[in-house]
Amino acid sequence: MMWVYQVLDILSTIEEAFCLYVISRCLCKEFRFQPKISKYIPPIAEIILTWSLTWLTDLGALKMWIVFIFVVAILKICYKDSVYQIATVTEVWFTVVVFLAEPIFFGIGYWLYGNHQIDFLEGQAFARWELYVIGISVRLLVLGMTYLLLKNFKYKMQIKDSIILTAVFLIAFVISFLSTFSILNLGMAVDLMLYISSGILSAIFMIIFMYAKNILYLREQEQRDKVQIAQLQQQYAYYQDKFKDEERIRSIYHDMKNHLLVLESSQGTDVTHKMARELRSQIADYENYIHTGNDFLDIIIRDKAEKAREKHIDFSSFIDFNGIDFIEPLDISTLFGNGIDNAVEASEKLPENQRVILVKAGKVQNFVSILIENNCSDEVHTDGHTTKADKFLHGFGISNMKNAAKKYGGTCTAMQENGRFLLKILLPAAGN
């Protein structure tokens, strides 16, 4: 009969290691070694240690302390995350495999077997084999529910959050240790209230953990908002400076044009007249260079067109913003500047003969329509997210544009099809 307990214990240990693998993959973010090494060493090491302590020593419940300290150490070796993050990972793992699971299946054991939950084999106390089977099933269920809570966890624990969690965890740990010690070291069933207390504390632990998760999310969102605002302000300031430069150029152009007209009509040589006409013809191109009907938008389009040409991108724009004066300059910068920047970034990844950007904007019936179209590779995502590694500092363009469009009761959508990426912004015209 001993072999049955050995097999069940091995299965239970493997399950515990699998729980450690799942939870560490959700909560640990920075590998210290190659991903495969960092991911698989902790669960494998936990299996070896737990099996050795169970079958090669008489420590019984005392192994809980050793396993906890060992898991913290091995996770810290394999991951670069902070000690607070690593401690939280271990605490969540212990809560799942022990504090939440054990009160459930031992509660079932009390209901089914009363005080006859302990078997003695070769002088050792074991929980009934049926409880092992129930425990394995319950633990899988708890792990599944926990995974749903953790699969999108992207935050780093702070010390003050970790202290609160650890305080609750240690109380639950001590209670669970006492109950396990009574069974494994003293060979006696414990009061059901110990398991109930441990279960309540573990539930409190998970509630605090989820609360901390939400707080961390809000902190990160606040930081994102600050970064976005700083980016928008910087971009806006840049175009304001460009706008001032444009005004100076217009003034110089106006004076130069008049001087050349005077020079051309004055008495002088044919060569002088010819040079004046040629110069006036050349600067006259300025009058035909991208006029959208909005002086601020002119600056943005000219700036982006120049950058596109530097990167050997065929840039075309058909924009009529005459009479469209309800969109604030900062929002014009957000809608057009970010949209074209994304198109330029996507175009740079293509061969030069495929680099094409088309911008169309104007009033269509009772709406202002903005379309930005470009060729793209498969790396560009339809949700507008960047493929760069640092997703925290990049990928804000689409969200900023959506916020700007929403401000005017409009929409911003992105779609990719057949190697073409299309960004469409639709705003209700003011007064409609």
Side-chain angles (χ1 to χ4, degrees), residues 32-43:
R32 191 177 298 277
F33 311 113
Q34 293 181 357
K36 288 184 178 180
I37 295 176
S38 292
K39 286 190 295 186
Y40 294 118
I41 283 182

Side-chain angles (χ1 to χ4, degrees), residues 181-196:
F181 185 85
S182 296
I183 294 174
L184 298 183
N185 295 69
L186 302 179
M188 56 183 291
V190 296
D191 194 322
L192 182 60
M193 288 304 298
L194 277 177
Y195 285 117
I196 294 176

Side-chain angles (χ1 to χ4, degrees), residues 91 95 99 162-175 198 200-208:
E91 289 165 3
T95 300
F99 304 159
S162 182
I163 289 173
I164 297 173
L165 287 169
T166 301
V168 177
F169 172 82
L170 286 176
I171 297 173
F173 188 94
V174 170
I175 293 175
S198 177
I200 292 174
L201 285 169
S202 61
I204 293 174
F205 173 87
M206 293 303 294
I207 291 171
I208 295 175

Side-chain angles (χ1 to χ4, degrees), residues 30 40 55 63 129 144 186 245 254 265 322 365 390 397 422:
E30 301 180 56
Y40 294 118
W55 297 100
K63 73 178 185 180
W129 69 267
L186 302 179
D245 291 340
H254 180 76
S265 60
N322 286 294
Q365 295 181 350
D390 188 0
L422 177 64

Side-chain angles (χ1 to χ4, degrees), residues 352-363:
E352 289 189 12
N353 61 348
Q354 297 179 24
R355 298 178 182 179
V356 179
I357 296 175
L358 174 62
V359 182
K360 293 182 180 180
K363 192 172 181 180

Side-chain angles (χ1 to χ4, degrees), residues 100-133:
L100 285 175
E102 286 193 356
I104 295 175
F105 67 75
F106 274 114
I108 295 174
Y110 266 101
W111 177 61
L112 293 175
Y113 306 108
N115 291 324
H116 303 288
Q117 301 177 65
I118 308 299
D119 282 338
F120 289 91
L121 290 175
E122 300 179 4
Q124 296 185 51
F126 295 92
R128 296 175 65 103
W129 69 267
E130 295 93 341
L131 293 181
Y132 274 90
V133 176

Side-chain angles (χ1 to χ4, degrees), residues 300-358:
I300 296 174
I301 299 301
R302 290 177 192 177
D303 182 66
K304 299 304 180 186
E306 181 179 348
K307 290 180 179 179
R309 284 195 298 271
E310 291 175 356
K311 299 178 184 298
H312 306 286
I313 299 171
D314 184 2
F315 183 92
S316 302
S317 63
F318 302 91
I319 303 173
D320 183 5
F321 252 49
N322 286 294
I324 302 174
D325 55 4
F326 67 93
I327 307 176
E328 297 177 7
L330 178 60
D331 297 320
I332 290 177
S333 172
T334 300
L335 295 171
F336 283 91
N338 287 325
I340 297 174
D341 283 343
N342 289 345
V344 169
E345 183 178 343
S347 299
E348 287 184 275
K349 301 174 182 178
L350 301 173
E352 289 189 12
N353 61 348
Q354 297 179 24
R355 298 178 182 179
V356 179
I357 296 175
L358 174 62

Side-chain angles (χ1 to χ4, degrees), residues 160-387:
K160 55 185 177 182
D161 303 311
S162 182
I163 289 173
I164 297 173
L165 287 169
T166 301
V168 177
F169 172 82
L170 286 176
I171 297 173
F173 188 94
V174 170
I175 293 175
S176 179
F177 169 76
L178 293 175
S179 60
T180 305
F181 185 85
S182 296
I183 294 174
L184 298 183
N185 295 69
L186 302 179
M188 56 183 291
V190 296
D191 194 322
L192 182 60
M193 288 304 298
L194 277 177
Y195 285 117
I196 294 176
S197 300
S198 177
I200 292 174
L201 285 169
S202 61
I204 293 174
F205 173 87
M206 293 303 294
I207 291 171
I208 295 175
F209 176 77
M210 296 309 299
Y211 173 78
K213 172 186 173 183
N214 290 333
I215 292 297
L216 290 169
Y217 171 78
L218 292 175
R219 288 176 188 162
E220 184 174 292
Q221 189 62 40
E222 181 181 1
Q223 184 64 26
R224 285 176 179 269
D225 291 341
K226 289 180 180 178
V227 172
Q228 291 186 51
I229 291 171
Q231 286 181 332
L232 292 175
Q233 289 175 338
Q234 184 179 20
Q235 186 180 62
Y236 182 53
Y238 169 77
Y239 286 122
Q240 281 183 316
D241 291 340
K242 295 280 287 186
F243 186 74
K244 292 177 182 178
D245 291 340
E246 180 76 5
E247 288 182 329
R248 288 194 293 269
I249 291 173
R250 284 178 179 174
S251 177
I252 295 171
Y253 161 77
H254 180 76
D255 292 341
M256 184 179 293
K257 181 179 178 182
N258 290 335
H259 293 330
L260 289 172
L261 284 172
V262 171
L263 182 62
E264 189 177 348
S265 60
S266 66
Q267 293 181 354
T269 64
D270 291 339
V271 174
T272 302
H273 292 164
K274 182 179 179 182
M275 289 177 60
R277 285 196 300 271
E278 288 178 352
L279 287 171
R280 191 161 60 85
S281 174
Q282 291 174 7
I283 67 173
D285 290 338
Y286 175 82
E287 294 180 322
N288 301 320
Y289 181 58
I290 304 180
H291 291 282
T292 66
N294 183 291
D295 292 339
F296 192 77
L297 181 55
D298 289 348
I299 304 302
I300 296 174
I301 299 301
R302 290 177 192 177
D303 182 66
K304 299 304 180 186
E306 181 179 348
K307 290 180 179 179
R309 284 195 298 271
E310 291 175 356
K311 299 178 184 298
H312 306 286
I313 299 171
D314 184 2
F315 183 92
S316 302
S317 63
F318 302 91
I319 303 173
D320 183 5
F321 252 49
N322 286 294
I324 302 174
D325 55 4
F326 67 93
I327 307 176
E328 297 177 7
L330 178 60
D331 297 320
I332 290 177
S333 172
T334 300
L335 295 171
F336 283 91
N338 287 325
I340 297 174
D341 283 343
N342 289 345
V344 169
E345 183 178 343
S347 299
E348 287 184 275
K349 301 174 182 178
L350 301 173
E352 289 189 12
N353 61 348
Q354 297 179 24
R355 298 178 182 179
V356 179
I357 296 175
L358 174 62
V359 182
K360 293 182 180 180
K363 192 172 181 180
V364 180
Q365 295 181 350
N366 295 327
F367 292 89
V368 174
S369 173
I370 302 172
L371 298 175
I372 302 176
E373 187 176 0
N374 60 275
N375 291 331
C376 64
S377 65
D378 293 335
E379 293 180 341
V380 179
H381 302 297
T382 56
D383 61 2
H385 289 169
T386 181
T387 57

